[in-house]
Amino acid sequence: MATPSKTPSTKTKSTRSASEFKTRFDAYNRLQAAAVAFGENLPIPEIVAVGGQSDGKSTLLEALLGFRFNIREVEMGTRRPLILQMIHEPTALEPRCRFQEEDSEEYGSPIVLASAIADIIKSRTESLLKKTRSAVSSKPIVMRAEYAYCPNLTIIDTPGFVLKAKKGEPENTPEEILSMVKSLASPPNRIVLFLQQSSVEWCSSLWLDAVREIDPTFRRTVIVVSKFDNRLKEFSDRWEVDRYLSASGYLGENIRPFFVALPKDKNTVSNDEFRRQISQVDLDVIRHLREGVNGGFDEEKFSSYIGFSCLREYLESELQKRYKEATPATLALLEQRCNEVTDELSRMETKIQATSDVAHLRKYAMLHAASICDHVGALIDGAADPAPEQWGKTTNEEQLESGIGSWPGISADIKPPNASLRLYGGAAFERVMHEFRCATYSVECPPVSREKVANILLAHAGRGGGRGVTEAAAEIARAAAQSWLAPLLDTACDRLAFVLGNLFDLAVERNRCRDSGYGRKAGDMDGYVGFHAALRHSYSRFLRDITKQCKQLVRHHLDSITSPYSQVCYENEFLGTYGSGANHTYKSNQASATSFCLELSDGGPTLEYETMKDQENIPPEKNAQQTTPGKVAEAREVLRESQMTIPETPSPDQPSDGNYVGVKKELGNCMELGARKRHPRIVGNGRNSDNLRVQNGGGLLFRGVDSSSRSGSAYSEICSLAAQHFARIREVLVERSVTSTLNSGFLTPCRDRLVVALGLDLFAVNDEKFMDMFVAPGAIDILENERQSLHKRQKILHSCLNEFKTVARTL
């Protein structure tokens, strides 16, 4: 900080100037007490003392106060900040110290014994740290000291910087202290008083960089070199002293540090003796510089920065100047805070009055609930506020926070498009739907044991059925679909419910921002914790109900599709009997029915159905290589040929002859999306042929031959047919049933029925039950206490405002 070449002595001030400063100082002290008590953030000019432990901050504070009270013994600077309000009171020949009560602007009784001050600081510190279970706390202790021998100053003593935590303290204590000090010293209205021992060179200073981060140019920093007498013996010539005192090589040309030495006597002495020792040390330092150094030192340049008395005078004059400069801004801010507290008090009184006005509460509660429902609908339909970067979630975050995790039965990592983007509302809903489709299409028909195939196939053969192989494959596919697809449906419902459940907090935030943005009074429902809890609970219950209904609906679709009476396993493709044109029609229908997805996370926008085969975990498209039975003309020709020849037996191990070649060509792979309708194929002579095979005993028992050497066996055919039937069931379930059911089961109720459901749940009750949300036991007492606290704050701030108006008129 650039300091004046000569600090004027307080003895030369006029009586009027001293009186004006005293008035201004008292006003700021009262304002500071109110700010500490009520947590007000006011730009009050203050001095913040910072430095490492054992750098002399505590001794300097005692010297400024003019008396000792052994604050070094309790190490107060290492635990809690201490705000010292020093008031020069000529009538106080003995110090009068009072502590501000915790969480109040009132001060306690005066302390008679100075030794009791340290005990109070220690007990308050230990009590708070025990309560907060921490090693340090930023909550300050405020002490007001009136004394005839102290200046008018307000100094905040901060915890000293340390390199390592003490034994028994958390290891991060040094970082907590550094963060706390930076927070206390950063406001531009505060002067930073930085102390460093004279034995430390500027180039190796541990904490100078930390202060530079707080105040890069040192414009509001006063640098004090403490314990200066320890360095004096190292000087022999004038140039050594002048070079050290200038410190220009490290601090800059305009920065002038103060050099201070204080008594080292640790014995208990009287206050008069303590002050005498301080003056004597100042005289001894100047005498040594003049007489003990060859050529002395540059007194004209440095004498006003050497000694405790010069530092004290400078701090008092600097704070007086800051008070005068800050008074207009403080006055304007006080008027603003008074108006805000008055408005807040008015709203609180209205709220208390409303507890007896049921109609008033019903009206505003209904409006609030309807507004939340409107915002939920808007978020579902698509919205960009509140900010998705803050409120949205990625796919991984949804899985982790919902507790659902990965899709059951699927080991592959399902990554739908836009998985890394933070989405919410309708966008997140569609992403989960697409993720469900990807997960479902990644499930293949599980392998079937020979025993299971034999039990099903032989039972059908025994009943004389005409479609033994086909029926066996269909039954296996239905069982696999029930076992593997049902958990996926439940997981999809739970994931979608989680996405919609997040919309409540989003709707509340959106409602708050919109109300504050348009200047409406959003505070009508503020503070009614019971009502907000009931509203949230009602929304959660509504979601649970529609989730349960959706699970039942999709399970019903799965049961219907996998029913033995369902013809899904035997259907041709949509309009498949009409040739290739029908196939094209189905593909168009699929593209339109399937909600296509835009990949926005890494590349440019791409339609899903154009890039499916190039993306990860995308349901496969039908193509020429993945043709289901009966899809091509050649396959149909082979089918007709095979219909004319009856297989010998449906035994699982029986090799297929040439009559089965046509069937094998139709199988495709197990990811095929849609087997063709098979039941008309062998209806004619099939029944007689199956009976013939049974009568002849044509190999109905399994033979001990490896299936790999008999690729054309009935077992292989059944497994392949089961995979096709499974793919058909999966396709019909996803494309025809589940997608539309989940959309109509989740989104439609949230848009159309939510406000009615919440209204019936919360407001279709008698007045007594309705008021339980607002007037819980003790609620009126809490509101009354808040009103009294606001009234007290209003009174204090108005008193401070009137004082500052008086101060402003004297400027």
Side-chain angles (χ1 to χ4, degrees):
M1 176 178 290
T3 54
S5 58
K6 188 73 175 177
T7 305
S9 174
T10 53
K11 296 180 180 180
T12 61
K13 296 178 182 178
S14 64
T15 304
R16 179 180 177 183
S17 176
S19 176
E20 290 176 356
F21 177 59
K22 180 67 166 52
T23 302
R24 191 158 49 242
F25 186 79
D26 289 342
Y28 270 108
N29 276 341
R30 282 177 51 80
L31 183 59
Q32 186 180 53
V36 171
F38 299 119
E40 296 283 355
N41 187 16
L42 299 174
I44 303 172
E46 296 161 328
I47 299 173
V48 181
V50 302
Q53 273 193 348
S54 303
D55 278 349
K57 289 194 282 70
S58 299
T59 305
L60 178 63
L61 293 179
E62 288 182 335
L64 289 170
L65 283 168
F67 65 93
R68 277 181 170 169
F69 53 93
N70 298 322
I71 54 177
R72 298 179 302 279
E73 295 180 2
V74 298
E75 296 178 342
M76 65 160 188
T78 62
R79 303 297 181 120
R80 287 181 69 178
L82 175 68
I83 299 179
L84 284 176
Q85 296 176 337
M86 308 177 198
I87 299 176
H88 177 69
E89 177 55 59
T91 61
L93 300 180
E94 293 294 330
R96 296 197 295 258
C97 299
R98 293 185 298 164
F99 283 90
Q100 184 178 340
E101 299 295 340
E102 301 277 14
D103 302 317
S104 172
E105 80 285 356
E106 299 293 337
Y107 287 85
S109 302
I111 298 173
V112 178
L113 297 176
S115 59
I117 295 175
D119 295 334
I120 293 176
I121 294 173
K122 183 177 181 180
S123 63
R124 287 196 175 191
T125 300
E126 291 178 349
S127 175
L128 179 64
L129 296 182
K130 184 178 179 180
K131 181 179 179 181
T132 59
R133 297 181 180 180
S134 57
V136 295
S137 173
S138 60
K139 187 175 182 180
I141 298 174
V142 181
M143 188 182 86
R144 182 185 181 96
E146 298 177 357
Y147 196 28
Y149 302 100
C150 73
N152 287 313
L153 287 178
T154 298
I155 294 184
I156 304 175
D157 184 36
T158 63
F161 299 128
V162 292
L163 293 174
K164 187 178 180 180
K166 293 182 179 180
K167 185 177 180 180
E169 291 184 348
E171 293 183 0
N172 65 338
T173 299
E175 289 76 15
E176 287 190 17
I177 291 175
L178 182 61
S179 176
M180 181 200 306
V181 172
K182 286 183 177 180
S183 177
L184 289 170
S186 292
N189 56 286
R190 288 178 173 170
I191 301 171
V192 180
L193 183 65
F194 172 53
L195 274 74
Q196 179 173 276
Q197 294 188 48
S198 62
S199 58
V200 179
E201 300 294 339
W202 294 114
C203 59
S204 59
S205 174
L206 293 175
W207 310 118
L208 185 63
D209 289 339
V211 175
R212 202 185 301 272
E213 291 179 13
I214 299 171
D215 182 22
T217 61
F218 296 124
R219 295 187 60 182
R220 56 185 183 90
T221 299
V222 179
I223 298 176
V224 177
V225 177
S226 60
K227 304 180 181 180
F228 182 52
D229 50 338
N230 294 338
R231 192 68 183 258
L232 291 177
K233 57 186 177 181
E234 299 181 12
F235 303 132
S236 57
D237 296 320
R238 173 171 178 156
W239 67 270
E240 294 177 316
V241 178
D242 291 346
R243 185 179 64 175
Y244 178 78
L245 295 179
S246 64
S248 57
Y250 301 98
L251 302 179
E253 293 295 332
N254 296 326
I255 307 301
R256 291 287 182 268
F258 285 86
F259 300 87
V260 175
L262 293 170
K264 291 183 171 60
D265 186 7
K266 303 292 183 180
N267 298 325
T268 302
V269 296
S270 65
N271 295 336
D272 291 338
E273 176 61 20
F274 178 55
R275 293 191 299 273
R276 190 198 67 76
Q277 290 178 359
I278 294 174
S279 300
Q280 185 61 46
V281 171
D282 280 352
L283 294 175
D284 292 342
V285 168
I286 294 295
R287 183 183 301 110
H288 180 86
L289 290 174
R290 289 173 177 170
E291 301 174 2
V293 177
N294 294 330
F297 72 105
D298 191 344
E299 294 194 39
E300 183 179 356
K301 187 176 183 179
F302 299 114
S303 61
S304 57
Y305 303 102
I306 298 175
F308 168 77
S309 59
C310 293
L311 174 64
R312 168 178 162 162
E313 292 174 4
Y314 173 75
L315 291 177
E316 191 170 7
S317 63
E318 184 66 19
L319 194 62
Q320 180 179 1
K321 182 180 72 174
R322 295 292 183 104
Y323 280 159
K324 187 173 182 179
E325 293 173 351
T327 298
T330 304
L331 180 61
L333 185 59
L334 268 176
E335 290 179 342
Q336 177 185 341
R337 288 296 300 131
C338 286
N339 293 334
E340 291 173 353
V341 171
T342 299
D343 293 341
E344 192 174 351
L345 179 62
S346 177
R347 286 194 296 269
M348 181 60 66
E349 291 175 344
T350 302
K351 189 177 295 185
I352 294 175
Q353 184 180 1
T355 55
S356 60
D357 189 349
V358 181
H360 174 88
L361 281 178
R362 280 186 178 273
K363 173 185 175 182
Y364 284 100
M366 288 180 180
L367 290 175
H368 183 82
S371 178
I372 296 297
C373 294
D374 289 342
H375 287 305
V376 169
L379 290 165
I380 290 175
D381 292 336
D385 66 293
E389 297 84 1
Q390 177 183 357
W391 294 87
K393 300 182 188 302
T394 64
T395 295
N396 285 338
E397 289 173 343
E398 284 180 4
Q399 292 176 344
L400 291 174
E401 295 181 22
S402 65
I404 299 172
S406 59
W407 296 89
I410 298 176
S411 57
D413 190 15
I414 304 299
K415 289 294 183 184
N418 306 311
S420 61
L421 296 184
R422 296 185 178 275
L423 305 179
Y424 57 63
F429 188 95
E430 288 302 319
R431 184 174 63 186
V432 173
M433 290 290 293
H434 195 80
E435 186 182 352
F436 163 71
R437 289 165 53 80
C438 295
T440 306
Y441 278 113
S442 69
V443 176
E444 298 182 3
C445 185
V448 187
S449 67
R450 286 180 174 275
E451 286 76 9
K452 183 177 292 187
V453 172
N455 275 275
I456 296 174
L457 179 60
L458 296 180
H460 280 289
R463 291 199 301 268
R467 303 198 304 266
V469 173
T470 305
E471 289 291 352
E475 189 164 337
I476 292 171
R478 286 192 290 264
Q482 279 281 359
S483 175
W484 288 82
L485 298 183
L488 296 179
L489 294 174
D490 288 344
T491 300
C493 292
D494 291 335
R495 284 283 304 279
L496 294 173
F498 176 76
V499 168
L500 296 178
N502 288 334
L503 295 188
F504 185 85
D505 290 327
L506 285 164
V508 171
E509 175 66 16
R510 205 165 185 263
N511 185 66
R512 184 190 65 80
C513 294
R514 293 294 177 91
D515 284 351
S516 60
Y518 291 113
R520 293 196 292 261
K521 291 184 178 180
D524 292 321
M525 287 292 106
D526 286 351
Y528 292 121
V529 179
F531 167 72
H532 290 294
L535 181 60
R536 182 184 294 272
H537 178 71
S538 182
Y539 180 80
S540 299
R541 182 162 51 194
F542 174 80
L543 269 188
R544 286 197 301 270
D545 291 342
I546 64 174
T547 302
K548 182 179 179 181
Q549 293 171 9
C550 283
K551 286 184 177 181
Q552 292 173 348
L553 285 173
V554 294
R555 277 299 187 97
H556 172 72
H557 286 304
L558 179 61
D559 293 341
S560 299
I561 294 172
T562 56
S563 169
Y565 302 100
S566 173
Q567 296 298 311
V568 168
C569 291
Y570 316 109
E571 289 181 355
N572 289 325
E573 291 196 6
F574 300 124
L575 306 178
T577 56
Y578 298 99
S580 60
N583 181 35
H584 174 74
T585 303
Y586 167 72
K587 189 162 186 176
S588 301
N589 290 340
Q590 184 195 25
S592 60
T594 303
S595 57
F596 66 89
C597 182
L598 291 173
E599 173 57 68
L600 303 175
S601 55
D602 293 322
T606 308
L607 292 181
E608 172 193 359
Y609 56 78
E610 293 178 353
T611 61
M612 274 186 180
K613 56 181 175 292
D614 295 327
Q615 292 187 15
E616 180 180 339
N617 295 322
I618 301 299
E621 272 292 357
K622 294 180 176 59
N623 49 49
Q625 287 72 27
Q626 294 177 324
T627 307
T628 53
K631 197 159 190 177
V632 200
E634 291 80 0
R636 285 197 293 269
E637 291 300 326
V638 174
L639 177 62
R640 296 190 191 99
E641 183 179 344
S642 67
Q643 284 177 330
M644 295 184 296
T645 304
I646 304 301
E648 183 178 348
T649 177
S651 174
D653 274 344
Q654 182 66 33
S656 296
D657 55 15
N659 296 331
Y660 271 89
V661 173
V663 177
K664 293 299 294 178
K665 287 183 180 180
E666 294 177 310
L667 296 183
N669 55 45
C670 30
M671 287 300 291
E672 171 55 38
L673 306 181
R676 292 179 57 82
K677 190 173 181 180
R678 300 181 61 86
H679 61 276
R681 293 186 181 174
I682 50 179
V683 173
N685 299 325
R687 184 183 304 274
N688 296 331
S689 64
D690 273 353
N691 291 336
L692 180 62
R693 276 176 281 175
V694 173
Q695 292 170 2
N696 295 336
L700 287 176
L701 297 178
F702 279 73
R703 297 173 183 175
V705 181
D706 191 350
S707 62
S708 63
S709 65
R710 310 180 64 91
S711 59
S713 68
Y715 173 74
S716 301
E717 180 185 359
I718 287 175
C719 290
S720 182
L721 284 175
Q724 292 191 49
H725 294 332
F726 180 86
R728 181 61 176 166
I729 291 172
R730 178 184 60 192
E731 175 191 1
V732 172
L733 182 70
V734 174
E735 303 297 343
R736 295 188 187 178
S737 305
V738 173
T739 303
S740 59
T741 298
L742 292 179
N743 274 280
S744 60
F746 277 109
L747 300 186
T748 302
C750 287
R751 290 190 185 101
D752 301 338
R753 296 192 347 242
L754 178 59
V755 65
V756 176
L758 298 187
L760 291 174
D761 196 14
L762 297 174
F763 308 120
V765 294
N766 57 38
D767 289 347
E768 182 179 358
K769 188 173 182 180
F770 173 78
M771 289 302 293
D772 287 343
M773 294 185 292
F774 298 91
V775 190
I780 297 296
D781 294 337
I782 293 175
L783 292 176
E784 282 290 346
N785 290 336
E786 290 182 8
R787 188 190 69 83
Q788 292 177 5
S789 177
L790 284 173
H791 182 72
K792 197 171 187 179
R793 180 184 298 191
Q794 181 194 41
K795 183 178 179 181
I796 292 294
L797 289 178
H798 274 287
S799 175
C800 292
L801 176 61
N802 292 331
E803 284 186 286
F804 271 88
K805 285 182 177 179
T806 302
V807 169
R809 285 193 292 267
T810 63
L811 296 179

